[in-house]
Amino acid sequence: MFAKTGERKRAKGEGKKRGHPGDDGQGERKKRGGEEGGQSQGDGSRKRLDALSVGYFRRVGERLGEGFDENEEREMFVANVLTEVKGKAVVVAMDPTGSITLQRLLPLCSPEQVAGVLAELGDQAGSELKAVSCDKCGGHVVESAVRQMSRWSESSQKESPGATGDEKDSCDALEAQVLSLSQVVRDNMAEFIKHVHGSHVVRTLLHVLAGCLGPPRIESRPGAKEHNLVPQLIDFEIPTSFWYGLKSLTEALMDNVNLSVVDSVASAAFQTMLTVCHRNRPKLCKQLLRRTTEYLTSRSAAPGVSPLLVFLKDPASSRLVETIIQLSGKSLLRHLYKNHLKGQMVDLALHSIANFPIQRLTAASAKHKMFLTLFDELIQGIESILAAGHMGVIVQLAESCAESGEKQTDLMQCLLRAFHCAEPGMRHVSCLPLFMSLLTYEVYYHSDTAEGDTPTEVPLSSICYHGSRLVQALAKFKERSLLLSSLRTLTPADLLTLASDPSGSHVLQALTITSSDKGRGKILKRLEGQYAAMACSRLGSRVLEAIWNSASVSHRQGIAQELVLSESQLRSHQFARHVWAKFALSHFTHRRGHWQEIQAGESKKRKLFSDILA
């Protein structure tokens, strides 16, 4: 009945790199016909490194990979390479081999040397620097050079009363070059933020001017897995001029706010602007959020329809709205919901794109009273949302209920009705496998029987990611008796299946460690006879370790007693041998009294820390 995924469905071709005027010179070459002859192939008249130079920079890259034993050797090597780069930095930066080598070289350069490279990449008018920044290879070099500004505080610490003027000038030179790049970007803002490569330079510049950096950007390879993790930002000290530089850059961006809602590449730059300002310039961020929201809500739309509803359904602007919701305070969230979204929540949750901003709004409202009204509206369409397969909305609703402590009973009862296990009451014990598989009672048990009939026993199967996420959220509720009762009805074989499943293992772990000692004991009783098999499972062994860490001494002793019976198997198994060592089972076998003393001491420490953190 319910779909098992809630992935965002973007418009066809959304993820592809867009072509922009002047990117490859195709239009200009068509006008000139065959005037360029053989040079009209590929990148036209762009200068390229000769084969000898390409070989040289490849060897430089290999040498950089080997590392240096002494600083003097490294400094001499860097100086020699920069001598070769001098006079042709643009060509080197825009060559694939030269670009990679420069990116690896720049972190080894002094701030003054980095400033020299940036100076060579630009000209007085800034057109050369713009061309390099918007190049697929050159853009990475510019980003790498700008990122070296994070060493400013480290270098400025050397500016003690006894320091030379050269050290101060070195830092000032790089600062001046970064501000010069910022000026070029401001003068050509529309072209930069719409360009697939140039926009990354803008985003890196925003990070540096705000004084925070994430990991460097890398080119994704075809077929490689993409991990959509939020990058961890690291703050660093910045010169005073960057405070004013960031303000000027954000003003230039706001002058082009119209692009943020029509171009996905430009939208990403605005999201970065809001994110970095929220982190290090909260007052400025508050102003930018207000101004961006005013723009989005002031566009013309159909009579009686908020323009924000249109933007929520658009692939480019919806991500910007998500960021605004995540970073907004209580008053702005209340304004957005009351004046633009109230009464539309279910329709938006059913939309293939708009359901994602609704998830962000549900998460952001959990700490405020408006969540109660929002919940009452969304709960009316929960079955339709489930049928549409937008499980992210349901999972977030459950997580917000757990966080706020409100509406938990209402959501549980609604879910029981949606999965057809609310009536008769005997069906309640079937809720856990139904939630984890996102299947209704009739579908899961292949039943068409009248109400009240006992279902045939079905082996646990079809555990899915969003079902696991839903149960993990429900496990944080104050009242978990239905889930725990359902868990205790599973056979030992089903519990082993649950522990060994990529999604199900998280469910078993969450329900076990959040139970009371008495409830945990009942679960462990059902698991008896399965501990050795769990220890030999890649995922089951992790669940077993989590259970062990939360178990009482008596429960640990029971687990250990069963595991030592399979000593030879556990000691030789790639996963189980770690369990054997962590549980100190050799000690348990030969010096049980001492083992019990150690476990009792650990239990007391754990209880003491839990009381302090409570």
Side-chain angles (χ1 to χ4, degrees):
M1 173 183 175
F2 305 133
K4 298 180 183 178
T5 59
E7 299 298 325
R8 184 189 296 261
K9 299 177 181 177
R10 290 303 193 186
K12 187 175 180 181
E14 178 64 23
K16 298 180 180 178
K17 294 181 179 179
R18 304 183 179 196
H20 295 275
D23 279 0
D24 55 7
Q26 289 288 346
E28 187 65 23
R29 283 198 294 275
K30 288 179 181 178
K31 291 179 182 178
R32 285 188 271 182
E35 289 179 9
E36 293 180 0
Q39 289 186 346
S40 64
Q41 299 296 322
D43 292 323
S45 58
R46 180 207 280 186
K47 295 179 181 179
R48 288 188 175 277
L49 283 178
D50 56 76
L52 192 63
S53 297
V54 170
Y56 169 77
F57 285 106
R58 184 177 292 113
R59 290 192 299 276
V60 169
E62 293 170 355
R63 179 66 186 89
L64 289 171
E66 296 172 6
F68 299 92
D69 295 329
E70 298 180 2
N71 289 340
E72 186 178 353
E73 180 187 3
R74 183 196 68 207
E75 291 169 2
M76 186 180 298
F77 182 82
V78 169
N80 289 336
V81 176
L82 291 178
T83 301
E84 293 295 324
V85 173
K86 192 172 181 63
K88 53 181 179 182
V90 172
V91 182
V92 175
M94 297 171 74
D95 179 83
T97 303
S99 172
I100 293 172
T101 301
L102 276 181
Q103 291 174 58
R104 299 174 67 179
L105 184 74
L106 286 169
L108 303 179
C109 297
S110 68
E112 185 179 17
Q113 289 171 325
V114 177
V117 173
L118 274 175
E120 276 208 58
L121 292 177
D123 55 11
Q124 192 170 3
S127 58
E128 196 75 68
L129 188 55
K130 173 189 162 189
V132 175
S133 298
C134 294
D135 180 76
K136 64 179 180 180
C137 297
H140 285 278
V141 175
V142 175
E143 286 184 65
S144 182
V146 172
R147 289 175 62 86
Q148 304 315 309
M149 196 63 207
S150 62
R151 292 189 277 151
W152 180 84
S153 57
E154 173 189 322
S155 300
S156 61
Q157 286 174 0
K158 298 176 183 177
E159 295 169 22
S160 58
T164 63
D166 292 339
E167 291 172 344
K168 186 172 186 294
D169 292 342
S170 173
C171 299
D172 290 345
L174 182 54
E175 177 187 344
Q177 288 300 322
V178 172
L179 292 174
S180 177
L181 171 63
S182 179
Q183 181 64 54
V184 172
V185 170
R186 292 201 303 271
D187 293 342
N188 303 275
M189 182 60 76
E191 295 172 70
F192 264 94
I193 61 175
K194 288 193 301 181
H195 197 281
V196 71
H197 302 300
S199 66
H200 281 285
V201 173
V202 178
R203 290 156 70 178
T204 299
L205 188 59
L206 283 164
H207 276 101
V208 170
L209 292 177
C212 59
L213 272 184
R217 180 170 66 102
I218 58 173
E219 286 286 358
S220 59
R221 296 180 179 179
K225 289 185 178 180
E226 293 187 6
H227 300 281
N228 298 321
L229 300 176
V230 178
Q232 296 298 314
L233 299 179
I234 299 175
D235 294 328
F236 60 91
E237 191 177 343
I238 55 173
T240 307
S241 60
F242 280 17
W243 282 71
Y244 302 104
L246 180 62
K247 184 72 167 66
S248 301
L249 192 62
T250 56
E251 284 298 325
L253 274 163
M254 291 306 298
D255 289 341
N256 294 274
V257 68
N258 59 303
L259 297 176
S260 69
V261 297
V262 296
D263 191 290
S264 59
V265 176
S267 176
F270 278 84
Q271 294 168 52
T272 300
M273 174 189 72
L274 295 174
T275 302
V276 299
C277 289
H278 180 263
R279 182 182 180 88
N280 289 345
R281 299 284 296 276
K283 288 185 179 179
L284 177 59
C285 179
K286 197 171 183 179
Q287 297 172 10
L288 296 172
L289 286 169
R290 178 181 53 79
R291 291 171 61 184
T292 307
T293 303
E294 286 176 357
Y295 174 82
L296 293 174
T297 56
S298 63
R299 301 299 91 191
S300 59
V305 177
S306 170
L308 193 62
L309 300 179
V310 178
F311 293 130
L312 284 167
K313 299 174 182 179
D314 179 75
S317 56
S318 65
R319 293 187 183 272
L320 178 60
V321 177
E322 282 187 53
T323 303
I324 291 172
I325 290 172
Q326 286 176 301
L327 304 180
S328 293
K330 177 181 176 181
S331 59
L332 185 54
L333 285 174
R334 188 168 57 235
H335 167 75
L336 289 173
Y337 176 67
K338 184 178 179 180
N339 298 321
H340 302 281
L341 303 178
K342 193 172 183 179
Q344 304 291 331
M345 294 294 289
V346 174
D347 290 339
L348 292 171
L350 293 173
H351 193 271
S352 59
I353 293 172
N355 78 89
F356 291 92
I358 294 305
Q359 293 178 40
R360 304 291 87 77
L361 180 62
T362 305
S365 64
K367 299 175 183 178
H368 311 299
K369 289 183 179 179
M370 62 175 283
F371 172 71
L372 301 178
T373 309
L374 185 148
F375 175 90
D376 290 338
E377 186 174 343
L378 277 177
I379 204 71
Q380 300 300 320
I382 194 167
E383 289 204 42
S384 300
I385 297 169
L386 285 165
H390 296 166
M391 280 304 302
V393 178
I394 307 301
V395 171
Q396 186 55 65
L397 196 61
E399 289 179 346
S400 295
C401 285
E403 182 180 351
S404 65
E406 302 286 349
K407 301 289 186 178
Q408 295 179 359
T409 303
D410 292 346
L411 179 61
M412 180 61 81
Q413 291 300 317
C414 190
L415 288 173
L416 291 175
R417 290 193 296 271
F419 285 90
H420 302 176
C421 58
E423 296 293 340
M426 62 180 294
R427 289 189 176 186
H428 287 179
V429 294
S430 303
C431 66
L432 184 60
L434 301 184
F435 291 168
M436 289 191 296
S437 61
L438 299 182
L439 297 173
T440 59
Y441 183 91
E442 292 80 9
V443 174
Y444 187 87
Y445 288 104
H446 312 290
S447 170
D448 247 347
T449 57
E451 291 185 2
D453 287 1
T454 303
T456 56
E457 188 172 306
V458 177
L460 186 64
S461 61
S462 305
I463 303 171
C464 66
Y465 169 76
H466 283 102
S468 172
R469 286 281 312 279
L470 174 62
V471 176
Q472 289 176 63
L474 296 176
K476 300 173 187 175
F477 283 14
K478 298 171 186 175
E479 178 56 53
R480 301 183 296 272
S481 58
L482 282 179
L483 293 176
L484 294 173
S485 297
S486 184
L487 179 66
R488 290 194 289 268
T489 62
L490 297 180
T491 65
D494 284 344
L495 290 173
L496 180 59
T497 300
L498 190 63
S500 305
D501 185 85
S503 298
S505 59
H506 294 283
V507 171
L508 181 57
Q509 180 174 326
L511 289 174
T512 305
I513 64 177
T514 56
S515 297
S516 63
D517 283 343
K518 184 178 179 180
R520 191 179 299 113
K522 292 180 180 179
I523 297 172
L524 294 179
K525 185 73 174 175
R526 299 287 292 175
L527 280 170
E528 287 180 359
Q530 305 296 328
Y531 294 134
M534 285 178 66
C536 293
S537 166
R538 178 174 65 88
L539 298 169
S541 61
R542 293 184 180 275
V543 176
L544 188 57
E545 288 179 28
I547 292 173
W548 179 273
N549 292 334
S550 62
S552 63
V553 177
S554 60
H555 292 152
R556 287 187 178 188
Q557 188 168 348
I559 296 171
Q561 190 70 53
E562 181 178 324
L563 289 175
V564 295
L565 299 176
S566 306
E567 178 177 354
S568 59
Q569 179 190 4
L570 300 185
R571 279 177 171 273
S572 60
H573 195 276
Q574 60 174 332
F575 302 125
R577 59 191 175 93
H578 298 293
V579 172
W580 183 273
K582 289 180 180 179
F583 293 3
L585 296 180
S586 295
H587 210 50
F588 175 81
T589 305
H590 302 293
R591 301 181 63 186
R592 186 165 303 186
H594 190 215
W595 181 89
Q596 288 177 333
E597 290 178 11
I598 294 173
Q599 300 302 320
E602 289 182 2
S603 180
K604 288 179 181 178
K605 285 181 183 178
R606 188 170 65 254
K607 188 176 185 304
L608 177 63
F609 281 113
S610 64
D611 290 341
I612 293 172
L613 296 173

